[in-house]
Amino acid sequence: MKIKFSLSLSYLITLLILSGLQLAQAKPVDDSKIQINGKVQDEKGVPVAGATIKILNSHTGAVSESDGIFQLMCPKDSSCKVSVEAIGYQKTVLTLYPNRQKDQPFLIELQSKAGDLADVTVSAVRRSSGSVDLVYANQKAASAISDGISQDVIKKSPDRNMGDVLKRVSGASVQDDKFVIIRGLNERYNTAKMNGALLPSTEPDKKAFAFNIIPASLIDQVVIYKSMTPDLPPDFAGGAIDITTKEFPSRRVSELSLSLGYQTNTTFKSFKKSKVTGKYDYTGYFDNRRALPASYNYYKNGFSHQDDGIKMAVTEKFSNNFGYKGAANSLPDMSISYTGGDTRYTKSDKKFGYIYSLGYSASREVTTGLINDYSIDKRQIYRSNATDYSYKYGHYALLNLSYAFNANNRLMLKNLYNNQLTSDVVLREGANLSNENPQPFISSSSKASRNGLLQSVLQGVHDLKSDQVLNWNLSYARTYHYSPDETILTLNENADGGYERKLSNENSPEIQNAGRVYSSNLEQQFGGHWDYSYGFKLGDQEQLLKAGMSTYYRLKDVSVEALGYASLNAYGITIPADPSSPFDLFTNENIEQYKVTVATIGNNSTDYQGKAWNTDGFVMLENKWWNHWTLKWGAAISSYNQKLIPTSGKSIEKNNTDILPSAILTFRPWSEMNFRLAGSQSVNRPEFRELADYSLYDYSKDFIYRGNPNLTRSKITNLDFRYEFFPATGEIISASIFYKHFNDPIEQVNQGNGILNYQNADEAQLYGAEFEIRKKLDFLGSEFMSKWTLYGNATYVDGDIQLNGTKGKSLMQGQSPYLIGAGLSYTEGDMSVNLLYQKAGPRLAFRGQGEGQMNIYEKGRDVIDAQVSYKFLKSKKLELKLSAKDLLAQSVDWYYKFGVSQDSRKTGYDASTDKITRQFKPGTALNLSIKYQF
């Protein structure tokens, strides 16, 4: 309750602050200046993003946004002489007269510059995000291998959260709609930062961050670094994901958005939900209806030693909420959000900027599927059909503040809070076919969970001198996953055609048969970072020395109480089910009549605290020669101490200190082209959950996840070569090849009997290639084709792995052999049309390990999304968007591959020999959104 209250209080305080900011949208404090608005475009009328507009003989400037718009503070009663520069255009100097045109925007037209395009260095503060033009401009200028996506591209897609967004980045795909796969490597090989601070893991059963908890509307840009540099977090091999939330607007923003969604599997159709629902579910928070009974907590430590009367009395206090109840037909999904912000100028060039956003959403989703299992000789031993009924309520709040003391010093406070409650009812019907006589059954599970993220980052940027910069940040992050009462009940058909449940004695209850789980997973992370950059010259060439340190402390608290229903009779008991309501089994009458009790399932229960302290120090040089060569090189020292402290049992401690060198050599024959060669070392460390030796049962997939306390950290050697060509603003053609060698990579393996475990392989190697293109089609020579933009990316991956001394030509667990992404967009005036395609090739979902165990693969899916948007009204303040997500709605299929060796490269599905073991069928989602700018 204390956690819930503190988060609710922080949310309320945030709302009050936002209300105050809304009232603060008043006149600028400095009456000696006047705010002028303008737009920069080229001679064809195309907006120019990233143009710098500087008032001569001052430190005041502005940068044009993706639509060419800018704001500038000029002296009120005099003319204003400015210079305007942009890459690829001729420099322009002109005089503005604010008093003459104070009610009309200034239009500045730039002429294209032929010949060699020199990089422009300006003293105005340049925004490094928001538009694809600026993302590519930064990518071109940076001394790193990276790919990114910007806010204006996100707006043109139907993406609702960060999980959707990341699959648009070259070389990336998404699993389970939330976990990011980069260069075919699974989620454990990635790390993520938001607003300069590391993000902790959100998952109770793996090392991963669930990106679907971050709304796409809050994102300004995302950059994925694919080569290690000393100033990046060293714990990655696939990519370091750098997320920036919405930046401070250069002009007043006030937007209200409303969207309605239709799902083909769900909307206007029947729905089922748990028998116990909270009265506050729609707010995203739990009440006490799903909490452990107070009487059980009272007797918890010595419950097994109590007399039978107390055990049955306590068992009766648990809610008999197994099964489901009917609900009203599903209405369309709904979300509403508001975003406001502005930048205010005061005397002496001081500047205060802010942006805030609030949002709420409610949705339902029905997913059908099947769960099958087969023996090594292809004999089916289990079959079932499954339907998952899920409803979600979520809300978020963002508040970013910035204050510039002068042109050289700025402070920023960035805050994000997101909370989502999900309630699932899963129903299964099938038969156990492992014996001579099939055993039909019905089964149900209900589970409610609350997931969230709270992050606050205080940042400082200080230009100490013209050649020295100090950056620092302090951060706090909190992720949580609460599931207060998951219920599972399976009933077998008896000889009379009815259903029953046989219970074992209280020494051997089973979670899959009749049980309930109460779990809590809370992680807090405290971090700090600073870096100092010093620019100097060798001859006439600019050089850079950069040094810094990052440190963070993780504190994780995990509690899992798994209870199974059992008989107080030493020989067990069989309870017949009521034909009219078969899941209504554990009534007080049945508990008394059949002497039923709850009993702790020891190997499914745990209670531990995880602590980790990580400190990274680095030194880096960036050397330039002859205007064309740049070498960015250095090393990081990474010290990591990790402790897992169970309430009972032996603690686990891991200590590592690694020196991790890296270097990137860039050859730039001219400003539109780069050749990059990179080499580095990085690490990959086990997560707390992977070390914790307890079992977690996933009902929806029918797997048991188990940890391994003997895991060790993996060390990776990375080599990359990339060619980049930037034909024009917002365009790119790039090609890369890469190689990685892993010592002791961590694999998730299938040990049989539905058990998935973690294991260090001996070594592995990975090699592949990437290609990306974004090109306007104006080169085709027609005005119509100039309104089209083509985008595409492709990644190919291959490799091998050595496990238990045996080397095989097989990809690592979680890898896809290829990734494909493509898009085609059309823009004319106020209308935009976008068609998007995505596919990840068949991946090794879980490696078979142990005698007779088989690899489990996941089929590739073709995903097509589309969106049409149009701006209305004379002022163009009203925008409508119609989007479609996953038009093909192909099923997610996991399969056993028969007829080939375990290390075969033939991973594709063969319907004549292979067998589907898990299948989930999502629907197509249609969404209509309306946004109005006040």
Side-chain angles (χ1 to χ4, degrees):
M1 290 299 295
K2 184 181 291 184
I3 294 172
K4 175 182 172 181
F5 175 76
S6 62
L7 289 178
S8 301
L9 181 61
S10 65
Y11 190 52
L12 177 60
I13 292 173
T14 301
L15 289 173
L16 292 174
I17 293 174
L18 299 181
S19 300
L21 287 175
Q22 180 67 25
L23 295 175
Q25 296 187 40
K27 292 182 178 180
V29 174
D30 190 355
D31 292 334
S32 66
K33 294 183 177 181
I34 187 171
Q35 178 177 295
I36 63 172
N37 302 309
K39 182 177 182 179
V40 183
Q41 64 181 41
D42 63 15
E43 64 270 25
K44 298 179 181 179
V46 178
V48 176
T52 58
I53 305 96
K54 181 183 176 184
I55 300 176
L56 297 181
N57 301 317
S58 78
H59 296 291
T60 302
V63 177
S64 61
E65 303 295 325
S66 58
D67 53 5
I69 299 296
F70 69 89
Q71 277 187 328
L72 196 65
M73 298 301 294
C74 286
K76 187 174 183 179
D77 299 319
S78 63
S79 61
C80 187
K81 196 169 187 179
V82 299
S83 65
V84 186
E85 299 179 72
I87 297 175
Y89 297 93
Q90 298 178 18
K91 178 179 178 180
T92 299
V93 177
L94 67 159
T95 301
L96 305 179
Y97 297 92
N99 284 330
R100 297 181 187 178
Q101 287 183 282
K102 61 182 179 180
D103 296 325
Q104 299 179 8
F106 289 88
L107 182 62
I108 300 175
E109 186 174 286
L110 297 181
Q111 299 296 315
S112 298
K113 181 171 62 175
D116 187 42
L117 304 180
D119 290 332
V120 180
T121 302
V122 297
S123 58
V125 178
R126 174 173 176 159
R127 285 190 56 173
S128 59
S129 52
S131 75
V132 65
D133 302 338
L134 295 182
V135 168
Y136 285 152
N138 289 339
Q139 183 175 328
K140 177 174 68 172
S143 299
I145 294 177
S146 64
D147 293 295
I149 192 169
S150 58
Q151 186 184 66
D152 57 349
V153 175
I154 295 171
K155 288 180 178 179
K156 295 177 181 179
S157 73
D159 300 338
R160 312 298 295 173
N161 58 65
M162 269 295 302
D164 294 330
V165 169
L166 284 167
K167 67 186 179 184
R168 312 295 180 194
V169 182
S170 177
S173 64
V174 175
Q175 298 293 339
D176 297 333
D177 293 324
K178 56 185 177 180
F179 303 125
V180 178
I181 311 297
I182 299 175
R183 286 181 165 176
L185 288 164
N186 72 21
E187 61 272 3
R188 67 162 304 102
Y189 289 105
N190 304 318
T191 190
K193 295 195 305 178
M194 187 165 67
N195 296 325
L198 278 173
L199 289 171
S201 176
T202 59
E203 298 308 291
D205 60 343
K206 64 173 69 179
K207 179 182 180 179
F209 185 86
F211 287 97
N212 63 340
I213 68 173
I214 302 177
S217 60
L218 301 184
I219 304 306
D220 204 55
Q221 74 166 11
V222 182
V223 176
I224 298 179
Y225 294 96
K226 297 179 178 177
S227 62
M228 177 69 185
T229 58
D231 54 344
L232 287 174
D235 192 359
F236 79 91
I241 303 163
D242 191 4
I243 305 165
T244 304
T245 56
K246 280 188 172 180
E247 291 285 353
F248 319 104
S250 58
R251 58 189 184 275
R252 182 178 178 273
V253 172
S254 180
E255 298 176 348
L256 179 65
S257 298
L258 173 67
S259 70
L260 297 174
Y262 174 86
Q263 297 196 46
T264 55
N265 284 359
T266 311
T267 309
F268 303 129
K269 297 180 180 180
S270 62
F271 193 79
K272 296 176 174 61
K273 61 182 180 180
S274 172
K275 289 182 178 178
V276 173
T277 56
K279 60 182 178 180
Y280 302 133
D281 281 9
Y282 71 96
T283 69
Y285 296 99
F286 291 130
D287 57 16
N288 293 324
R289 298 183 186 184
R290 300 180 176 97
L292 264 169
S295 58
Y296 178 81
N297 282 323
Y298 180 80
Y299 291 108
K300 176 180 176 181
N301 293 333
F303 187 73
S304 61
H305 302 298
Q306 302 300 319
D307 61 48
D308 290 355
I310 290 177
K311 290 178 182 178
M312 289 188 292
V314 171
T315 302
E316 291 174 0
K317 296 297 182 182
F318 286 84
S319 174
N320 184 25
N321 59 331
F322 293 89
Y324 61 91
K325 65 181 180 181
N329 287 6
S330 299
L331 295 174
D333 298 343
M334 181 276 294
S335 67
I336 186 170
S337 64
Y338 177 79
T339 300
D342 202 355
T343 298
R344 291 294 163 186
Y345 295 81
T346 62
K347 294 181 179 180
S348 304
D349 290 330
K350 292 181 174 62
K351 182 169 64 173
F352 173 70
Y354 65 91
I355 188 166
Y356 62 92
S357 186
L358 297 168
Y360 174 82
S361 62
S363 65
R364 286 183 177 183
E365 183 176 10
V366 177
T367 304
T368 59
L370 58 82
I371 297 176
N372 294 334
D373 207 357
Y374 297 84
S375 63
I376 192 69
D377 59 359
K378 298 186 184 181
R379 183 172 61 89
Q380 188 169 10
I381 58 177
Y382 182 91
R383 64 169 174 81
S384 70
N385 296 314
T387 305
D388 184 346
Y389 301 87
S390 175
Y391 67 75
K392 298 179 181 180
Y393 296 105
H395 57 265
Y396 66 80
L398 174 141
L399 173 61
N400 290 349
L401 309 173
S402 175
Y403 183 72
F405 298 91
N406 48 49
N408 299 321
N409 295 278
R410 183 167 60 142
L411 288 179
M412 293 160 285
L413 178 62
K414 297 185 176 183
N415 307 275
L416 174 64
Y417 174 60
N418 187 72
N419 180 84
Q420 185 177 85
L421 184 149
T422 303
S423 180
D424 289 274
V425 167
V426 184
L427 305 178
R428 291 213 299 260
E429 181 178 6
N432 189 330
L433 309 174
S434 57
N435 298 320
E436 184 176 349
N437 297 317
Q439 177 63 69
F441 70 87
I442 57 174
S443 182
S444 75
S445 168
S446 66
K447 179 180 181 179
S449 60
R450 188 164 73 88
N451 304 275
L453 166 69
L454 171 66
Q455 187 199 52
S456 292
V457 182
L458 177 64
Q459 298 175 285
V461 180
H462 309 281
D463 293 329
L464 305 179
K465 294 182 180 179
S466 59
D467 53 4
Q468 299 179 48
V469 179
L470 174 65
N471 290 283
W472 59 270
N473 71 57
L474 298 172
S475 64
Y476 171 76
R478 180 191 195 103
T479 60
Y480 51 86
H481 178 95
Y482 304 129
S483 184
D485 186 13
E486 177 185 6
T487 63
I488 301 170
L489 180 58
T490 300
L491 301 174
N492 294 323
E493 187 178 288
N494 57 29
D496 299 326
Y499 289 96
E500 63 186 19
R501 174 70 265 159
K502 183 176 181 180
L503 300 178
S504 61
N505 63 48
E506 56 185 320
N507 294 321
S508 55
E510 293 183 331
I511 192 71
Q512 296 95 323
N513 291 335
R516 55 203 319 155
V517 182
Y518 299 80
S519 63
S520 170
N521 187 313
L522 170 67
E523 179 165 333
Q524 300 180 83
Q525 184 169 283
F526 306 84
H529 169 87
W530 66 267
D531 64 71
Y532 170 79
S533 301
Y534 174 66
F536 61 97
K537 283 190 175 184
L538 288 178
D540 60 349
Q541 295 295 317
E542 298 287 344
Q543 315 293 320
L544 180 69
L545 170 66
K546 188 177 181 181
M549 180 178 291
S550 297
T551 185
Y552 68 87
Y553 174 71
R554 295 175 59 195
L555 181 63
K556 193 178 190 74
D557 291 286
V558 175
S559 177
V560 180
E561 185 75 19
L563 302 173
Y565 281 78
S567 170
L568 291 169
N569 187 322
Y571 301 100
I573 194 71
T574 297
I575 306 176
D578 184 342
S580 62
S581 55
F583 292 110
D584 194 20
L585 194 70
F586 297 113
T587 62
N588 290 350
E589 292 77 14
N590 280 349
I591 291 172
E592 292 286 345
Q593 179 181 349
Y594 296 100
K595 292 189 175 183
V596 176
T597 181
V598 293
T600 299
I601 306 176
N603 59 1
N604 285 75
S605 300
T606 190
D607 197 344
Y608 69 84
Q609 186 175 76
K611 298 180 179 180
W613 190 289
N614 182 216
T615 301
D616 302 322
F618 72 90
V619 177
M620 182 178 70
L621 278 166
E622 189 170 315
N623 303 125
K624 295 183 179 180
W625 301 284
W626 306 299
N627 295 320
H628 299 295
W629 294 88
T630 302
L631 176 64
K632 188 175 185 177
W633 61 285
I637 300 178
S638 183
S639 174
Y640 189 71
N641 174 263
Q642 182 181 30
K643 292 182 180 180
L644 191 146
I645 309 168
T647 300
S648 61
K650 187 178 179 180
S651 296
I652 301 169
E653 184 170 1
K654 306 286 182 180
N655 286 288
N656 298 108
T657 299
D658 296 288
I659 298 176
L660 304 169
S662 63
I664 299 180
L665 179 65
T666 301
F667 173 60
R668 184 173 292 137
W670 53 87
S671 62
E672 303 104 319
M673 187 177 294
N674 291 322
F675 293 89
R676 304 187 192 273
L677 178 63
S680 64
Q681 284 193 323
S682 57
V683 295
N684 182 239
R685 299 166 177 133
E687 183 57 32
F688 291 117
R689 170 63 187 98
E690 296 167 342
L691 297 171
D693 189 14
Y694 78 99
S695 299
L696 176 71
Y697 178 60
D698 182 346
Y699 179 88
S700 64
K701 295 182 174 65
D702 197 26
F703 280 128
I704 296 173
Y705 299 92
R706 183 174 293 165
N708 178 2
N710 298 316
L711 291 177
T712 61
R713 71 101 171 86
S714 174
K715 200 166 185 179
I716 306 106
T717 300
N718 310 278
L719 295 174
D720 291 84
F721 176 76
R722 170 173 284 196
Y723 164 77
E724 296 174 332
F725 176 53
F726 301 87
T729 302
E731 298 182 353
I732 188 174
I733 300 173
S734 72
S736 307
I737 56 175
F738 55 87
Y739 171 83
K740 297 178 184 293
H741 183 272
F742 298 77
N743 286 321
D744 304 317
I746 298 174
E747 295 273 289
Q748 191 172 25
V749 297
N750 171 29
Q751 293 189 316
N753 297 322
I755 297 174
L756 302 176
N757 199 356
Y758 300 93
Q759 182 178 341
N760 283 106
D762 303 324
E763 63 176 347
Q765 63 177 349
L766 169 73
Y767 47 89
E770 290 178 321
F771 175 77
E772 180 183 16
I773 181 171
R774 180 183 291 274
K775 187 73 179 73
K776 299 181 180 70
L777 301 185
D778 51 1
F779 66 92
L780 295 177
S782 74
E783 182 179 352
F784 175 73
M785 295 307 298
S786 68
K787 300 169 184 177
W788 291 87
T789 299
L790 175 68
Y791 173 76
N793 69 77
T795 302
Y796 168 78
V797 183
D798 205 343
D800 53 54
I801 188 169
Q802 179 172 307
L803 192 66
N804 295 332
T806 302
K807 192 171 185 178
K809 303 298 287 184
S810 170
L811 291 176
M812 296 168 65
Q813 180 260 329
Q815 280 190 292
S816 296
Y818 64 86
L819 304 168
I820 301 172
L824 187 63
S825 65
Y826 172 81
T827 303
E828 181 179 14
D830 301 308
M831 185 177 73
S832 176
V833 181
N834 290 271
L835 188 65
L836 303 165
Y837 172 78
Q838 192 78 25
K839 183 170 185 177
R843 71 181 185 112
L844 177 59
F846 306 106
R847 182 182 305 282
Q849 184 66 10
E851 186 176 352
Q853 302 312 318
M854 293 174 289
N855 292 342
I856 298 177
Y857 296 91
E858 181 177 337
K859 288 172 63 175
R861 294 180 71 238
D862 299 286
V863 180
I864 296 178
D865 304 323
Q867 178 169 286
V868 179
S869 64
Y870 191 78
K871 293 182 179 180
F872 292 85
L873 305 181
K874 185 177 181 180
S875 58
K876 307 303 180 185
K877 291 185 175 182
L878 180 66
E879 183 179 21
L880 294 184
K881 291 182 181 180
L882 178 62
S883 60
K885 181 180 176 182
D886 201 359
L887 283 166
L888 301 180
Q890 294 179 350
S891 60
V892 178
D893 295 330
W894 292 357
Y895 58 95
Y896 290 132
K897 189 154 191 67
F898 291 95
V900 297
S901 63
Q902 287 281 72
D903 62 356
S904 173
R905 293 178 184 273
K906 297 179 180 180
T907 59
Y909 177 70
D910 185 343
S912 64
T913 58
D914 301 335
K915 301 296 184 181
I916 301 294
T917 180
R918 304 290 190 277
Q919 184 178 83
F920 312 97
K921 295 182 179 180
T924 296
L926 305 177
N927 189 271
L928 175 65
S929 65
I930 305 172
K931 181 172 69 175
Y932 185 77
Q933 300 180 14
F934 294 93

